[in-house]
Amino acid sequence: ERAVAFSQFPQWSCTTSGSSLNELWRQVQAMGMSEQIKWSLIDRWHSHPAFIKALAHRIQEGLQQFEESVRHRVVLLFSAH
């Protein structure tokens, strides 16, 4: 059997992603599942080149909504919340 642990925090941090994954592993061990299941981990997806490329593409698409003469004044705001 296989399982995937997917942290959806938009950045890596020991206090968010790290503590959540540590708790997952503690619970997996407490339930005796550490040997029964092959685990995969997705934790730093935000730095994957394909994600960055897709995000850059979406930004470029959004900027196309503005006339070229004003694009340099467009403010981009990103919030992970």
Side-chain angles (χ1 to χ4, degrees), residues 1-60:
E1 293 183 45
R2 292 187 53 86
V4 177
F6 177 27
S7 169
Q8 294 186 335
F9 290 108
Q11 75 286 332
W12 174 260
S13 168
C14 291
T15 59
T16 54
S17 308
S19 63
S20 296
L21 293 173
N22 284 337
E23 181 61 21
L24 171 65
W25 302 140
R26 279 192 289 273
Q27 294 301 319
V28 165
Q29 290 178 339
M31 293 185 288
M33 296 172 55
S34 59
E35 299 298 322
Q36 298 171 340
I37 297 176
K38 181 174 170 100
W39 287 90
S40 296
L41 175 62
I42 301 172
D43 65 344
R44 290 175 173 88
W45 53 269
H46 58 278
S47 61
H48 191 282
F51 175 74
I52 294 170
K53 184 177 179 180
L55 189 59
H57 178 73
R58 295 292 297 181
I59 291 169
Q60 289 297 327

Side-chain angles (χ1 to χ4, degrees), residues 59-78:
I59 291 169
Q60 289 297 327
E61 282 182 337
L63 287 172
Q64 296 303 313
Q65 297 177 36
F66 299 92
E67 299 219 13
E68 190 172 354
S69 62
V70 299
R71 285 185 200 149
H72 69 283
R73 294 191 317 227
V74 173
V75 175
L76 297 176
L77 175 65
F78 174 79

